[in-house]
Structure formats: C-alpha cells, structure tokens
Amino acid sequence: MPYTTHEIHRIEEKWQKIWREKKIFSAAMDSNKKKYYVLEMFPYPSGKIHMGHVRNYTIADVIARFRMMQGRNVLHPMGYDAFGQPAENAAIKHKTGPAKWTYGCIDQMRAELKRMGFSYDWDRELATCDPEYYRWNQWIFLKMYERGLAYKKASPVNWCESCQTTLANEEVVNDACWRCKAPVVQKNLEQWYLKITHYAEPLLEDLKKLANWPSRVVAMQENWIGKSHGVNIFFFWKKTGERITVFTTRADTIFGATYVVLAPEHPLVDKMIAGTPGEKEIRVFIEKVTNESKSLRVTGDKKKEGIFTGQYAVNPVNGEEIPIWIADYVLMEYGTGAIMAVPTHDQRDFLFAKEHKLPMRIVIQDHPNSNAKVSDLKEAYEGQGVLVNSKQFDGTDNESAKTKIAQWMTQNKMGEVTAHWRLRDWLISRQRYWGTPIPIIYCPKCGAVPVPEKDLPVELPSNIQITGKGGSPLAQCEEFVNTNCPNCNGKAKRETDTMATFFDSSWYYLRFCSPRNDRKIFDEKEVNYWMPVDQYIGGIEHAILHLLYSRFFMKFFKDLGLVNFDEPFARLLTQGMVLKDGEVMSKSRGNTVDPDEIIGRYGADPLRLCILFAAPPEDQLEWSNGAVDGSWKFLNRIWNLAEQRFAPVEDNISAADSDQEDKDLERERNAAIKKVTEDISEGYKFNTAVSTLMILMNAADKYKVVTGNTAKQALLNRAIRTVIVLLAPFTPHICEELWEKTGGNEKSVMNVSWPSFDARALERDSVQVVAQINGKLRGKFQVASGSSEEEVREIVLADARIQEFISGKPVKRFIYIADKVANIVI
RNA sequence: GGGCGAGUGGCGGAAUCGGCAGACGCGCAGGACUUAGGAUCCUGUCCCGAAAGGGGUAGAGGUUCAACUCCUCUCUCGCCCACCA
C-alpha cells in the first residue's frame, strides 16, 4: 500500500481508536514512578482550532510522548477556558444561549483536537463553565473573603464602552481593551477586588526560583510588579502643621528640594485652597486635569501644567519654607500622590521650574572641583557625583548619601525607608452574564453576607435574555436576584456581577489532578504528587496576566495549607506566533489557514512534522504550504524505506564482522539517538532533531544490502526501527503503523523504551583535519583519530600544496586542535 | 526615555565553552525512469571568476594563530515598560 492521503487517514483513525481503547494515555498516581506533568494553556472554545493551537499542542505532545517513552508517569490533560464574552456575543448573533453555544463549540473543538492525535488523558477533560468547576471558583472567593483578600471598594476603574464592563489593569493595553481594542475610560464604581498586592513581595522574590522560565517573561513580571525602593519624607504644611508625605528614590537630593507638588486629587488640596483668593482658578485647573483621560495626561512629551496653591511646606531637614504646587504630572495612584521637586537633578522638575520661574539649587556636582552654577544649567544633572549645599553630607558621593540620609532621617523622625509598588489590586467584577456568579448576598440588615459553603454553587440561571446592552444581565433575572439572607433569613439580593475569567484559569492546572472530586476543590495527595507542572507551554501574551494571577493563587493555596509548594510552573516555554505573509494569522486580516483543511489534504502527521521542523518553538513561524509538502515527502520516504527495505531476519550481528559501511551506519544510528535525545530534552530543538532523523534516514536509504546477507539486513532493520522509534513523538500515527509492520512486539510504540546510544559506536578510526595557513583554509587531511600534534604536523607539512602556499617562508607557529584544525602561522 | 531580544543564501533555518559558514529542508536548474503519481530517483545550487583564487554572517573598528560566535560604536527590526517621583 502506498502512503496516500486515504491511507494516512485510515492509519490515523486506526491508531487514535487503539490509543483510546487501550487507554494508553490515561494517567494514574503512582508513587513508585517519577511523574511528569505537561500542560499547555487551555483554549477558549471558539469551535475551531487555529494554527497557533496546533503549534502549541504539537510541541506539548512531543514532550509528553518523549517523557512517556523515557518511562515517566505522564499527566497530559486538556480542558476549556469556557466562560467569557465571545459566547454572549455569539448568543446574541445566533439567537441562542451562551451555554448551548459554548458546549457546541467544545464538541467541535474536541473532535478537531482528537484528529491531531494528541496524547491527552481525555477522562480528565474539564470546562470552566461547568457548575462542578466554577463552584470552586466561588469557594476560593469565599476563602479569600474570609481572609480579607477579597474586598469591595469604590474607586475609579477602567471601563470598556464596547464590552460594557470593567477591566483589570492587566487587561488594559495602550489605554484600550485588550480583547476588543475599544478605548478604555475611567469610571467611579464599587467593585470587587482581590488583594494580589498582599503577595507583592513573594511574587517578586520568587521570580528568582523560576530559572527555567524565559528571562523575558521574568523581566516583564518584575517590571509589572515594579518595586521601587526609597524614602517617605515627612514635609509639613506650614499653616496647620499637617503632614505631607512625599515619596522619593532620591533622598540624596533632599537639600535641593525647592518646591512640593501635589496631585490634583490629593486629599489636602481641598483644605489648602478653600477660601483663598486663588481658589476659583485652582478649581478650574483641577477640574480640567481630572477630566482629561489618563492617556492624555500621562503622555511624556506633553507640557507639564501646574498652579501655585498659595501655601507653603516646610522641609524637615532644614526647616526651609517652599511653595506647594499642584500639577498634572503627579499621579495620585503612584507613591503618595505628592513629590518634592529637585529641578537641578530631575529633568521633569527642571522643565516645570523653568516654565514657572521656580527656584533651583545644585546639590550634586559631577566633579568635586567643578562649580556649575544654576544659571549655567541647560538641563537637569541626573548623573552621579558628590553632594554640595547639603550641610553635614557635603562631600559624600551621592550613591552612599542615599542610605546615609535615609538613616539620618529615620533616626530623627523626618522620614522612613519604604518601597512602593506598581502592582495594583486585581479588579475581578464584570458586568457580564457568562461567568462565575460572585457568591455574595446583600441584606438590608446584615450588609454583604457571603453565601455559605453548603449552598455552593450559586448557579447561573439559564433563562436569561442576553442583549449586550448596559448593566449586569443577571440583575434582570428576579428569581436569581431575590433570595434570603443566610444570616437573618430576611429578604435579600444577590450580587449580580460575575468574575473575570482569568479567575477561572488561575487554578485549573490543580483541578486536572483530581478533576472529578465533588467534595473538595482538589485532592491534596494527588496535587502534591503531580504538581508543579513540569512543563507549561503557551503564548507570550500571557506573560503577565494569566501567569501572574496563577502564581498569586498558588501562594494563597500554600497559605491555606492545601499544598506544599508555591510556584505552579517549573518550566515555561512561550511558543512563537504562526504568521502568514509576515503577519499574525487572524480572521480580521483574512490570512488564516484552517488546520482541519490541512489535515484533510495531508493528514495530521505531516502537519505536526511541518510545524515542528519549520522553526524552533520559541521563534515566529511563517506558514507555507510548501513546507507541508516537504514533510509529506519525508514521511513518504520513510514509509517506502520500511515497506521496501525492511525484511524480518534475526538480529545477530557481531561487531567483528562489520565493514566500513556497517560501522558508518551504526555510527549514524547512535549519533542520531544521542542528538535527538539531547535536542528534545535540552531546549526543545525539534527542528534540528527532525533534520537529524532525515540524515539517519538518508544514510539507511543509501546503505546497500546484498540479498541473502542477513547480517547487513539486520543492521538496516535496526536503523529503520531506530528512525521509527525516535520519530514516534513527532508523528505518532505513521510510526505506530510502521512499528507494527516492522514486527514491533509492544502493543504501541509508545510503550517502547526510548533508546540509548553506544558511545563506542560513535568513535571513528580516522578523522578529517582541516589545514589552515594564517587562518585560511588550504587543505584537508584524513588522519588517524587521536593523532599527536607532531604526527599531524609531519603529514601536513609534507604536503606539496601546503608547501606551495608556504613558499619557503618560516613557520612561526603550528597550532593543532585535536582531530579538528591545524593552523600554520607564517 | 529605560529595558530585553534579534539581524546568516531566493526562502525556512543550521553552526555560538572561538576552530571547514550555510547542516537539514523548501525552491530552482539539468538529467534518468515511468506501473503518469501529490510521482520517484540522480546531479548541481552563497557571490565574483574559465580556472587558480578572491569575497562573504546588518555596518565600522578591536582582541586572537583563528570571530556568525568575544569587546566597542553605529544602523535596522521586534517586544515590554514609561510624567513611576
């Protein structure tokens, strides 16, 4: 039978059925076996898988199958991140319900995933929209609520007009909604938050443990958490003596502070200006600034605007009275909402001071003897130097002055060492239907009351009309809203907001460990056996969002005493995007390639191979149909090799009888085992692993067997079967079929142990040494491997051509790198 | 403005504890064969040159017997952060 599309499809279906029936991939805890947990970021069930999914899951599948063949107890589950807005939009568009729509999509998606032949334990499949899943979201919420880590507060929030809902800071990208790209505006709303900032320190600190994460992702998280060390300095308002705390990372410049600037929203502002002559003008200014969108206000190149309050602050270090200003460039959300301005050593302050003719004083000289004057300054000096005009600190270099001044201020209660964080608490309320109901009941008498654990799950009502127009859809459903207070049993109303879907995905990897447990969120024994995830794989777009939230949840579970570790993902691989014509594949661009269509035309194996061979997993991958042709051809050649050249004979080769061709083939075979093993386990270099297998196949193809020479035939058989076994994680269907055809005696090639290589077979009798003259290639010599420098020197210098190049000049040096290069310096 | 990463044939990409640049594949060119198949097989394929040889890994320098690999500067592209005090 030739390897035709029809045959490919037959083989793929055949083996998928066998894997399913024999439960090859079902995982069970076994404390005698070393576990390996492979996980890819589970998909949103849009219905169809795209090339990005195919790439992500194929990479994971190779790893899972490879580890399985190496004898590890592999857990490789799959599920669906099934809540979220697209289902609501689809429900409106197709006049159906989000649940019906979503489950339909899941069915379609599962079928497509199965056609790819991925090694999932399908018995562990889960969907976050299942009440048996999201009840545990509610449970987690209640546990956080008990510990004060879930709380409600009114504050300005990000609001997406198009989605008609609030967004977390992490979901706002360039002042636009991360999902729909519509502009985000600020609204004042009362919303639920999770206190992720409680874990700011460990979230930052434990990044150090993530040595096997891409450094880029670690850097992004570090940036996002944004710890900055500095000092809170206690200025005070001259008129009343009230404290104005200012945060600075530049305590060394404290003697150069010539004014203080407050954010327009600063709580003291109102009191300071009330009844002053400038009050009206200042209020107009504040009004103007606070109405500006955050993006406009926070643009770097915009001119800084400000206004004098008429009030003065006292600098605690020298008692100096300096003016208090209000300016748009000071943000209430960061630091203390108040800064001390040092125009000589901060460029923003410099420009502001010039504009408003505010005083300046130099306190750092870049050189002890240089005497720059304020009038000479064209810009602020932000570099290193020595302190001047700073009383007892004069002459101190500014770096050590930071610590010294901070200590001195702390001792004299003028300030305190502190740190500020960029990380904000996580806003999780969403005014949407298709999400987990927040398990809170509002009672007129008792206030906000958590739903008792025994009443979980608070189920989503199914009879809801989704309109997409303003407000929480759940609020319209009276039978959902109206309930009784768990405390006093009086009439009460339910919270009608649902949870952000990132809540759901922050812990699903734990649920996979015991997905059917209906008494507990997860079985601690199972979780402590399988976790952490040994290899996690997904897109870089989750570098902050999902990965940070998951780390936060893990630390919370550790604090609850449920788990004995606190980082969920030991290794992280961020796969590159799949491009078409240089652009990311997307429906809106109309440049998508449907994986299902490629499977139909070529089969799953050629698709898998092509995507693995085309680029290293972390790089972008430019899709080309030609590349699938290439993969198809390669599989076809292997097919023909196994079908036409394999012949069953007894494998009784004695090394003593082997000739040079035999040794060469055995060397290629062992070299391939070594290289493929290394490529998969050290850095997932699938592209070079595949090319190594191509080399071995080419070598086997060229190897000649005289009919009846059973020793040679056995050697060829060995090479063929090695290709099949090594290739099995990449293209499992064809390898199963060929393994069976070539007399494989296991029920599946997946049960074959991953081969090891024989180092002796890699040795060569002779090696090629390159001869260079002054670094230029001048000749190649076969020499016995392990030859000494003297031997090689003799051979090389005896060569007529080499002598011609030397042309009588004296040989200054002779450098020999064993078995590689000889360089003659003349 | 700050940080990180990258730049190699017509294309995807190999090679980086410094040691033959372009593995492997796609494409292209020439040929063989044919049970016309999605054929298959063989040969060639960085540039200039008839050859000898010369040039060549974004550009310019440097270190070295030897540099895609290390150092300095510049350019280009990608990503992240950004009035962050």
Side-chain angles (χ1 to χ4, degrees), chain A residues 576-825:
Chain A
M577 303 223 196
V578 182
L579 311 182
K580 180 81 199 299
D581 310 318
E583 288 188 306
V584 179
M585 278 191 193
S586 73
K587 274 189 203 141
S588 55
R589 284 195 186 87
N591 62 346
T592 54
V593 175
D594 181 5
D596 214 40
E597 195 194 307
I598 301 293
I599 297 172
R601 200 137 48 101
Y602 295 89
D605 278 342
L607 172 58
R608 293 169 58 116
L609 187 68
C610 153
I611 222 154
L612 293 164
F613 182 56
E618 305 213 64
D619 290 9
Q620 293 192 333
L621 186 152
E622 171 72 32
W623 177 262
S624 90
N625 286 333
V628 202
D629 278 318
S631 297
W632 183 85
K633 268 193 217 171
F634 169 62
L635 293 177
N636 200 12
R637 288 187 64 199
I638 289 181
W639 180 270
N640 290 336
L641 182 69
E643 274 224 318
Q644 293 159 20
R645 306 280 312 279
F646 185 91
V649 292
E650 207 185 323
D651 190 346
N652 56 353
I653 311 152
S654 82
D657 301 336
S658 53
D659 59 22
Q660 194 55 50
E661 279 71 42
D662 301 347
K663 281 185 191 158
D664 287 345
L665 183 62
E666 268 299 279
R667 189 175 51 248
E668 288 296 350
R669 196 178 72 84
N670 282 281
I673 295 170
K674 180 169 191 274
K675 174 87 169 119
V676 171
T677 309
E678 285 170 0
D679 278 355
I680 300 179
S681 45
E682 292 164 21
Y684 303 133
K685 292 184 272 186
F686 304 125
N687 54 334
T688 50
V690 172
S691 72
T692 302
L693 289 169
M694 288 173 171
I695 291 167
L696 176 57
M697 194 214 58
N698 287 336
D701 207 18
K702 283 204 175 69
Y703 180 77
K704 292 192 179 57
V705 178
V706 182
T707 319
N709 186 335
T710 55
K712 287 211 174 241
Q713 181 63 55
L715 214 57
L716 177 62
N717 287 354
R718 244 195 228 177
I720 292 171
R721 298 185 83 196
T722 300
V723 175
I724 294 168
V725 171
L726 295 182
L727 193 63
F730 300 81
T731 56
H733 310 89
I734 186 176
C735 291
E736 289 278 24
E737 185 71 12
L738 293 179
W739 181 251
E740 190 182 63
K741 274 177 188 282
T742 57
N745 51 5
E746 299 280 348
K747 59 184 167 182
S748 160
V749 72
M750 285 298 111
N751 296 114
V752 175
S753 299
W754 190 257
S756 50
F757 65 94
D758 176 4
R760 281 167 309 169
L762 298 177
E763 289 165 9
R764 290 167 185 272
D765 299 337
S766 72
V767 290
Q768 184 184 258
V769 166
V770 171
Q772 299 176 330
I773 294 175
N774 288 349
K776 279 207 179 297
L777 175 67
R778 293 304 182 196
K780 296 177 180 184
F781 297 85
Q782 276 306 125
V783 304
S785 57
S787 297
S788 69
E789 181 170 334
E790 286 68 37
E791 288 166 327
V792 174
R793 183 184 176 122
E794 209 165 296
I795 295 167
V796 171
L797 290 179
D799 185 75
R801 235 177 98 75
I802 294 291
Q803 281 304 328
E804 210 175 296
F805 277 110
I806 293 173
S807 63
K809 295 190 187 90
V811 174
K812 279 199 231 161
R813 279 179 75 184
F814 185 90
I815 295 143
Y816 180 59
I817 308 298
D819 292 352
K820 274 186 187 165
V821 178
N823 193 11
I824 301 160
V825 186

Side-chain angles (χ1 to χ4, degrees), chain A residues 17-25 747:
Chain A
K17 186 160 170 262
I18 292 173
W19 296 333
R20 192 167 58 244
E21 284 170 355
K22 296 198 171 167
K23 292 198 171 288
I24 301 266
F25 304 116
K747 59 184 167 182

Side-chain angles (χ1 to χ4, degrees), chain A residues 364-567:
Chain A
I364 295 174
Q365 293 284 14
D366 58 344
H367 187 275
N369 300 319
S370 80
N371 275 307
K373 290 187 202 66
V374 166
S375 53
D376 301 337
L377 288 180
K378 301 250 173 338
E379 56 181 15
Y381 176 69
E382 293 178 334
Q384 307 294 304
V386 169
L387 265 57
V388 293
N389 299 323
S390 301
K391 298 199 170 168
Q392 68 266 43
F393 298 100
D394 282 358
T396 316
D397 79 273
N398 75 299
E399 274 309 315
S400 53
K402 280 181 187 170
T403 327
K404 285 182 185 159
I405 291 181
Q407 277 170 0
W408 171 71
M409 283 198 290
T410 308
Q411 275 158 19
N412 293 285
K413 301 199 165 46
M414 296 181 285
E416 64 192 5
V417 174
T418 184
H420 278 272
W421 303 81
R422 223 190 67 98
L423 184 69
R424 296 282 93 107
D425 278 342
W426 173 17
L427 192 166
I428 58 153
S429 305
R430 295 293 179 274
Q431 291 67 52
R432 310 298 317 177
Y433 163 74
W434 195 230
T436 306
I438 294 173
I440 291 288
I441 291 167
Y442 299 104
C443 169
K445 273 187 258 161
C446 314
V449 180
V451 174
E453 241 178 76
K454 64 173 173 53
D455 294 343
L456 298 185
V458 177
E459 278 201 57
L460 273 178
S462 52
N463 54 338
I464 284 245
Q465 193 63 40
I466 309 288
T467 61
K469 305 220 171 62
S472 300
L474 286 176
Q476 301 153 21
C477 180
E478 303 227 335
E479 51 207 282
F480 175 82
V481 174
N482 294 319
T483 185
N484 294 324
C485 171
N487 251 358
C488 67
N489 206 31
K491 281 196 174 145
K493 288 185 188 301
R494 286 189 192 278
E495 168 66 60
T496 56
D497 283 355
T498 54
M499 296 182 195
T501 55
F502 279 110
F503 195 112
D504 316 353
S505 53
S506 295
W507 65 280
Y508 75 108
Y509 46 91
L510 297 169
R511 186 68 184 166
F512 273 137
C513 298
S514 54
R516 306 288 172 254
N517 194 319
D518 56 4
R519 288 171 302 111
K520 281 199 264 183
I521 179 167
F522 49 73
D523 182 293
E524 285 101 327
K525 261 207 249 114
E526 294 269 357
V527 160
N528 284 326
Y529 173 74
W530 291 112
M531 286 293 291
V533 173
D534 293 272
Q535 181 63 60
Y536 199 37
I537 304 156
I540 186 79
E541 66 272 19
H542 291 292
I544 296 167
L545 290 157
H546 161 63
L547 291 170
L548 187 66
Y549 296 148
S550 296
R551 297 183 58 228
F552 159 44
F553 269 45
M554 215 55 253
K555 297 189 187 309
F556 174 66
F557 291 133
K558 175 95 186 285
D559 281 357
L560 281 187
L562 294 178
V563 298
N564 58 15
F565 55 91
D566 61 359
E567 281 295 333

Side-chain angles (χ1 to χ4, degrees), chain A residues 255-364:
Chain A
F255 290 91
T258 48
Y259 57 97
V260 161
V261 190
L262 305 183
E265 301 88 346
H266 195 280
L268 277 178
V269 165
D270 197 65
K271 209 169 161 190
M272 278 185 189
I273 61 171
T276 64
E279 178 176 3
K280 205 173 158 196
E281 200 192 337
I282 296 170
R283 288 206 191 277
V284 169
F285 173 77
I286 293 174
E287 182 80 359
K288 185 174 145 254
V289 173
T290 48
N291 280 342
E292 270 175 3
S293 83
K294 199 179 161 197
S295 61
L296 191 70
R297 193 171 151 191
V298 175
T299 323
D301 29 323
K302 186 180 148 275
K303 200 163 106 188
K304 282 76 179 129
E305 288 187 61
I307 194 161
F308 179 45
T309 58
Q311 301 295 320
Y312 289 84
V314 179
N315 185 341
V317 299
N318 54 10
E320 202 171 0
E321 290 173 19
I322 56 179
I324 301 174
W325 282 64
I326 298 170
D328 57 357
Y329 75 96
V330 176
L331 308 173
M332 197 58 220
E333 309 91 89
Y334 189 80
T336 57
I339 63 160
M340 64 176 201
V342 185
T344 47
H345 305 293
D346 179 288
Q347 186 59 16
R348 277 165 312 164
D349 296 343
F350 181 82
L351 292 174
F352 192 83
K354 277 272 178 202
E355 172 75 23
H356 300 284
K357 304 199 166 43
L358 288 157
M360 302 190 192
R361 182 188 307 132
I362 290 175
V363 289
I364 295 174

Side-chain angles (χ1 to χ4, degrees), chain A residues 25 38 40 56-67 76 116-120 537 608 728-730 732:
Chain A
F25 304 116
V38 186
E40 42 265 54
N56 189 170
Y57 307 155
T58 303
I59 290 166
D61 202 49
V62 176
I63 297 169
R65 288 173 180 267
F66 169 69
R67 294 297 177 194
H76 187 205
M116 284 298 296
F118 296 133
S119 59
Y120 300 129
I537 304 156
R608 293 169 58 116
F730 300 81

